[in-house]
Amino acid sequence: MTVTSIAPARPTTYKVTGARVLRSEWGKFWSLRSSWITLGVAVFLLVLFGTIAAYTYSPGASSAGGPPGPGGGGDSDAVSLALTGATFASLAVGVLGVLLSAGEYSTGMIRSTLSAVPRRLPVLWAKAAVIGPIALVLTTLGALAAFGLGAPGLDGEKISLSLGDDGVLRSLAGAGLYLGLVAVFGVALGVLLRNSAGAIASLVGILLILPGLASLLPDSWYDTLSPYFPSNAGQAVYALHQSSDALSPGAGIAVFAGWVALTLAGAAYRLRRTDV
């Protein structure tokens, strides 16, 4: 009787590619309950505050103080009212970005992630590529919903606008673009600082506290520097009307994208050069 020897099967090897890293980060993102909750909160705040602002609009109360949305001048308009909740939504998507990246350092999962992707940097790019478009699409839909739901509350008012009016769609889409970049900014801060609490505190400080502290500078310095602060530059993207001291929408997105790119570069350097 002839005995046939069977050679042991070779283990299947998989090449690490950008598409596979992206698919992995996509799966991790949607498997986390915090992703669903935080995204829902961001869109909910955007729609809620925008709708309330439209239905409680009072022409006499708003004309003196200017629009709630930054970068505008004069009376409020339907777009600035619809985007009243953009500041709160920016904090929600920014925190989500932080949790997506710094959360792995808190749990120790980052060691497994980087063992699977030894080159490291594709992990950072994949996280940014996952959360940025998701935040952009959902918050753009939220901005459109806030505008649409608030429109009946402004019926008959001088500031009432429709989607077909000049600049309206650009402003609403600009809000989604800004919030998508804020989410990527949160990812970069999380990787750079490697601590959820520290990264969230930095996010809040940069977006909300820094412009207030800058008002302590001499007026000439403040007037020159203020438009280039991250939140002011980013918010200029979705202002329907620009004040004389604000950046244009194109310049605003370029400046804010520059801040995000600079933070991503710092995060990439630390991820590549230091141990986890």
Side-chain angles (χ1 to χ4, degrees), residues 26-51:
W26 176 271
K28 283 194 289 185
F29 178 83
W30 290 114
S31 67
L32 296 174
R33 186 180 302 174
S34 60
S35 300
W36 297 84
I37 294 174
T38 312
L39 279 174
V41 167
V43 175
F44 175 74
L45 291 176
L46 196 57
V47 175
L48 176 67
F49 282 97
T51 305

mmCIF file of all heavy atoms in Angstrom, residues 26-51:
data_model
loop_
_atom_site.group_PDB
_atom_site.id
_atom_site.type_symbol
_atom_site.label_atom_id
_atom_site.label_comp_id
_atom_site.label_asym_id
_atom_site.label_seq_id
_atom_site.Cartn_x
_atom_site.Cartn_y
_atom_site.Cartn_z
ATOM 1 N N TRP A 26 -13.125 51.906 8.448
ATOM 2 C CA TRP A 26 -14.564 52.076 8.225
ATOM 3 C C TRP A 26 -15.351 51.132 9.142
ATOM 4 O O TRP A 26 -16.340 51.525 9.769
ATOM 5 C CB TRP A 26 -14.883 51.792 6.762
ATOM 6 C CG TRP A 26 -16.340 51.839 6.416
ATOM 7 C CD1 TRP A 26 -17.231 50.806 6.476
ATOM 8 C CD2 TRP A 26 -17.084 52.977 5.942
ATOM 9 N NE1 TRP A 26 -18.485 51.221 6.065
ATOM 10 C CE2 TRP A 26 -18.419 52.546 5.734
ATOM 11 C CE3 TRP A 26 -16.742 54.296 5.669
ATOM 12 C CZ2 TRP A 26 -19.408 53.403 5.276
ATOM 13 C CZ3 TRP A 26 -17.742 55.149 5.205
ATOM 14 C CH2 TRP A 26 -19.054 54.705 5.011
ATOM 15 N N GLY A 27 -14.917 49.882 9.215
ATOM 16 C CA GLY A 27 -15.588 48.925 10.080
ATOM 17 C C GLY A 27 -15.491 49.310 11.545
ATOM 18 O O GLY A 27 -16.475 49.200 12.294
ATOM 19 N N LYS A 28 -14.310 49.747 11.980
ATOM 20 C CA LYS A 28 -14.149 50.160 13.376
ATOM 21 C C LYS A 28 -15.027 51.356 13.702
ATOM 22 O O LYS A 28 -15.615 51.437 14.782
ATOM 23 C CB LYS A 28 -12.675 50.494 13.659
ATOM 24 C CG LYS A 28 -11.790 49.275 13.832
ATOM 25 C CD LYS A 28 -10.444 49.627 14.439
ATOM 26 C CE LYS A 28 -9.572 50.376 13.477
ATOM 27 N NZ LYS A 28 -8.213 50.603 14.030
ATOM 28 N N PHE A 29 -15.106 52.289 12.758
ATOM 29 C CA PHE A 29 -15.892 53.503 13.008
ATOM 30 C C PHE A 29 -17.360 53.161 13.263
ATOM 31 O O PHE A 29 -17.962 53.617 14.238
ATOM 32 C CB PHE A 29 -15.768 54.446 11.814
ATOM 33 C CG PHE A 29 -16.570 55.712 11.954
ATOM 34 C CD1 PHE A 29 -16.073 56.785 12.666
ATOM 35 C CD2 PHE A 29 -17.825 55.818 11.364
ATOM 36 C CE1 PHE A 29 -16.818 57.948 12.796
ATOM 37 C CE2 PHE A 29 -18.564 56.977 11.490
ATOM 38 C CZ PHE A 29 -18.065 58.043 12.206
ATOM 39 N N TRP A 30 -17.961 52.356 12.391
ATOM 40 C CA TRP A 30 -19.380 52.065 12.517
ATOM 41 C C TRP A 30 -19.683 51.048 13.603
ATOM 42 O O TRP A 30 -20.842 50.876 14.000
ATOM 43 C CB TRP A 30 -19.940 51.595 11.187
ATOM 44 C CG TRP A 30 -20.004 52.700 10.180
ATOM 45 C CD1 TRP A 30 -19.283 52.802 9.024
ATOM 46 C CD2 TRP A 30 -20.815 53.884 10.236
ATOM 47 N NE1 TRP A 30 -19.584 53.968 8.367
ATOM 48 C CE2 TRP A 30 -20.528 54.650 9.072
ATOM 49 C CE3 TRP A 30 -21.749 54.367 11.152
ATOM 50 C CZ2 TRP A 30 -21.143 55.865 8.825
ATOM 51 C CZ3 TRP A 30 -22.374 55.588 10.894
ATOM 52 C CH2 TRP A 30 -22.070 56.318 9.736
ATOM 53 N N SER A 31 -18.660 50.328 14.084
ATOM 54 C CA SER A 31 -18.892 49.359 15.158
ATOM 55 C C SER A 31 -18.958 50.017 16.531
ATOM 56 O O SER A 31 -19.389 49.389 17.492
ATOM 57 C CB SER A 31 -17.791 48.295 15.149
ATOM 58 O OG SER A 31 -16.532 48.863 15.494
ATOM 59 N N LEU A 32 -18.526 51.279 16.613
ATOM 60 C CA LEU A 32 -18.534 51.986 17.888
ATOM 61 C C LEU A 32 -19.870 52.689 18.095
ATOM 62 O O LEU A 32 -20.335 53.437 17.229
ATOM 63 C CB LEU A 32 -17.399 53.012 17.941
ATOM 64 C CG LEU A 32 -15.980 52.459 17.881
ATOM 65 C CD1 LEU A 32 -14.974 53.601 17.794
ATOM 66 C CD2 LEU A 32 -15.697 51.612 19.114
ATOM 67 N N ARG A 33 -20.486 52.477 19.250
ATOM 68 C CA ARG A 33 -21.750 53.138 19.542
ATOM 69 C C ARG A 33 -21.585 54.648 19.621
ATOM 70 O O ARG A 33 -22.478 55.407 19.246
ATOM 71 C CB ARG A 33 -22.320 52.603 20.860
ATOM 72 C CG ARG A 33 -23.710 53.115 21.192
ATOM 73 C CD ARG A 33 -24.212 52.539 22.507
ATOM 74 N NE ARG A 33 -24.242 51.084 22.470
ATOM 75 C CZ ARG A 33 -24.531 50.334 23.529
ATOM 76 N NH1 ARG A 33 -24.797 50.894 24.695
ATOM 77 N NH2 ARG A 33 -24.544 49.021 23.424
ATOM 78 N N SER A 34 -20.419 55.095 20.088
ATOM 79 C CA SER A 34 -20.184 56.537 20.207
ATOM 80 C C SER A 34 -20.234 57.235 18.850
ATOM 81 O O SER A 34 -20.595 58.414 18.770
ATOM 82 C CB SER A 34 -18.834 56.805 20.873
ATOM 83 O OG SER A 34 -17.773 56.251 20.113
ATOM 84 N N SER A 35 -19.877 56.531 17.778
ATOM 85 C CA SER A 35 -19.922 57.135 16.448
ATOM 86 C C SER A 35 -21.350 57.491 16.073
ATOM 87 O O SER A 35 -21.641 58.604 15.619
ATOM 88 C CB SER A 35 -19.329 56.178 15.412
ATOM 89 O OG SER A 35 -17.989 55.863 15.701
ATOM 90 N N TRP A 36 -22.253 56.551 16.256
ATOM 91 C CA TRP A 36 -23.657 56.794 15.924
ATOM 92 C C TRP A 36 -24.229 57.918 16.793
ATOM 93 O O TRP A 36 -24.910 58.818 16.295
ATOM 94 C CB TRP A 36 -24.478 55.521 16.145
ATOM 95 C CG TRP A 36 -24.096 54.386 15.273
ATOM 96 C CD1 TRP A 36 -23.077 53.486 15.482
ATOM 97 C CD2 TRP A 36 -24.708 53.999 14.038
ATOM 98 N NE1 TRP A 36 -23.017 52.570 14.465
ATOM 99 C CE2 TRP A 36 -24.013 52.846 13.564
ATOM 100 C CE3 TRP A 36 -25.773 54.492 13.297
ATOM 101 C CZ2 TRP A 36 -24.359 52.202 12.390
ATOM 102 C CZ3 TRP A 36 -26.124 53.842 12.122
ATOM 103 C CH2 TRP A 36 -25.423 52.722 11.674
ATOM 104 N N ILE A 37 -23.951 57.828 18.090
ATOM 105 C CA ILE A 37 -24.534 58.798 19.018
ATOM 106 C C ILE A 37 -24.022 60.199 18.741
ATOM 107 O O ILE A 37 -24.796 61.167 18.654
ATOM 108 C CB ILE A 37 -24.231 58.383 20.474
ATOM 109 C CG1 ILE A 37 -24.949 57.073 20.812
ATOM 110 C CG2 ILE A 37 -24.652 59.480 21.447
ATOM 111 C CD1 ILE A 37 -24.592 56.513 22.172
ATOM 112 N N THR A 38 -22.697 60.344 18.591
ATOM 113 C CA THR A 38 -22.126 61.673 18.405
ATOM 114 C C THR A 38 -22.524 62.288 17.074
ATOM 115 O O THR A 38 -22.808 63.493 16.991
ATOM 116 C CB THR A 38 -20.591 61.614 18.515
ATOM 117 O OG1 THR A 38 -20.221 60.862 19.678
ATOM 118 C CG2 THR A 38 -20.004 63.016 18.638
ATOM 119 N N LEU A 39 -22.556 61.479 16.011
ATOM 120 C CA LEU A 39 -23.028 61.990 14.731
ATOM 121 C C LEU A 39 -24.484 62.425 14.818
ATOM 122 O O LEU A 39 -24.869 63.477 14.287
ATOM 123 C CB LEU A 39 -22.877 60.919 13.653
ATOM 124 C CG LEU A 39 -21.489 60.755 13.032
ATOM 125 C CD1 LEU A 39 -21.481 59.562 12.085
ATOM 126 C CD2 LEU A 39 -21.072 62.014 12.283
ATOM 127 N N GLY A 40 -25.288 61.629 15.493
ATOM 128 C CA GLY A 40 -26.694 61.990 15.669
ATOM 129 C C GLY A 40 -26.855 63.279 16.449
ATOM 130 O O GLY A 40 -27.695 64.122 16.113
ATOM 131 N N VAL A 41 -26.041 63.444 17.492
ATOM 132 C CA VAL A 41 -26.095 64.676 18.286
ATOM 133 C C VAL A 41 -25.711 65.881 17.437
ATOM 134 O O VAL A 41 -26.347 66.943 17.512
ATOM 135 C CB VAL A 41 -25.173 64.554 19.515
ATOM 136 C CG1 VAL A 41 -24.957 65.913 20.179
ATOM 137 C CG2 VAL A 41 -25.758 63.569 20.523
ATOM 138 N N ALA A 42 -24.672 65.741 16.619
ATOM 139 C CA ALA A 42 -24.227 66.855 15.775
ATOM 140 C C ALA A 42 -25.333 67.308 14.827
ATOM 141 O O ALA A 42 -25.632 68.505 14.709
ATOM 142 C CB ALA A 42 -22.978 66.454 14.989
ATOM 143 N N VAL A 43 -25.948 66.354 14.132
ATOM 144 C CA VAL A 43 -27.008 66.704 13.191
ATOM 145 C C VAL A 43 -28.230 67.239 13.935
ATOM 146 O O VAL A 43 -28.868 68.214 13.496
ATOM 147 C CB VAL A 43 -27.388 65.480 12.338
ATOM 148 C CG1 VAL A 43 -28.568 65.791 11.428
ATOM 149 C CG2 VAL A 43 -26.188 65.025 11.514
ATOM 150 N N PHE A 44 -28.551 66.630 15.064
ATOM 151 C CA PHE A 44 -29.711 67.070 15.851
ATOM 152 C C PHE A 44 -29.534 68.517 16.319
ATOM 153 O O PHE A 44 -30.468 69.329 16.211
ATOM 154 C CB PHE A 44 -29.898 66.150 17.057
ATOM 155 C CG PHE A 44 -30.993 66.585 17.993
ATOM 156 C CD1 PHE A 44 -32.328 66.421 17.641
ATOM 157 C CD2 PHE A 44 -30.686 67.156 19.214
ATOM 158 C CE1 PHE A 44 -33.339 66.827 18.495
ATOM 159 C CE2 PHE A 44 -31.688 67.567 20.080
ATOM 160 C CZ PHE A 44 -33.021 67.397 19.723
ATOM 161 N N LEU A 45 -28.358 68.855 16.831
ATOM 162 C CA LEU A 45 -28.117 70.219 17.293
ATOM 163 C C LEU A 45 -28.185 71.211 16.139
ATOM 164 O O LEU A 45 -28.715 72.320 16.285
ATOM 165 C CB LEU A 45 -26.752 70.301 17.974
ATOM 166 C CG LEU A 45 -26.610 69.571 19.307
ATOM 167 C CD1 LEU A 45 -25.176 69.660 19.809
ATOM 168 C CD2 LEU A 45 -27.563 70.139 20.350
ATOM 169 N N LEU A 46 -27.661 70.811 15.004
ATOM 170 C CA LEU A 46 -27.693 71.684 13.831
ATOM 171 C C LEU A 46 -29.129 71.986 13.423
ATOM 172 O O LEU A 46 -29.498 73.142 13.173
ATOM 173 C CB LEU A 46 -26.935 71.004 12.691
ATOM 174 C CG LEU A 46 -26.501 71.846 11.493
ATOM 175 C CD1 LEU A 46 -25.627 73.011 11.926
ATOM 176 C CD2 LEU A 46 -25.756 70.981 10.487
ATOM 177 N N VAL A 47 -29.954 70.947 13.364
ATOM 178 C CA VAL A 47 -31.349 71.127 12.955
ATOM 179 C C VAL A 47 -32.146 71.843 14.040
ATOM 180 O O VAL A 47 -32.929 72.763 13.752
ATOM 181 C CB VAL A 47 -31.979 69.759 12.630
ATOM 182 C CG1 VAL A 47 -33.462 69.909 12.320
ATOM 183 C CG2 VAL A 47 -31.263 69.103 11.456
ATOM 184 N N LEU A 48 -31.951 71.452 15.294
ATOM 185 C CA LEU A 48 -32.735 72.008 16.398
ATOM 186 C C LEU A 48 -32.519 73.507 16.548
ATOM 187 O O LEU A 48 -33.478 74.294 16.541
ATOM 188 C CB LEU A 48 -32.382 71.288 17.699
ATOM 189 C CG LEU A 48 -33.068 71.825 18.959
ATOM 190 C CD1 LEU A 48 -34.560 71.566 18.901
ATOM 191 C CD2 LEU A 48 -32.460 71.193 20.212
ATOM 192 N N PHE A 49 -31.261 73.915 16.674
ATOM 193 C CA PHE A 49 -30.988 75.331 16.898
ATOM 194 C C PHE A 49 -31.349 76.173 15.674
ATOM 195 O O PHE A 49 -31.819 77.303 15.811
ATOM 196 C CB PHE A 49 -29.520 75.536 17.282
ATOM 197 C CG PHE A 49 -29.223 75.204 18.708
ATOM 198 C CD1 PHE A 49 -28.707 73.961 19.044
ATOM 199 C CD2 PHE A 49 -29.466 76.118 19.718
ATOM 200 C CE1 PHE A 49 -28.434 73.643 20.363
ATOM 201 C CE2 PHE A 49 -29.195 75.811 21.040
ATOM 202 C CZ PHE A 49 -28.682 74.568 21.376
ATOM 203 N N GLY A 50 -31.131 75.633 14.480
ATOM 204 C CA GLY A 50 -31.503 76.368 13.280
ATOM 205 C C GLY A 50 -32.995 76.586 13.174
ATOM 206 O O GLY A 50 -33.459 77.678 12.811
ATOM 207 N N THR A 51 -33.761 75.558 13.509
ATOM 208 C CA THR A 51 -35.218 75.674 13.431
ATOM 209 C C THR A 51 -35.753 76.621 14.499
ATOM 210 O O THR A 51 -36.612 77.471 14.221
ATOM 211 C CB THR A 51 -35.867 74.285 13.587
ATOM 212 O OG1 THR A 51 -35.314 73.393 12.609
ATOM 213 C CG2 THR A 51 -37.368 74.365 13.415
#
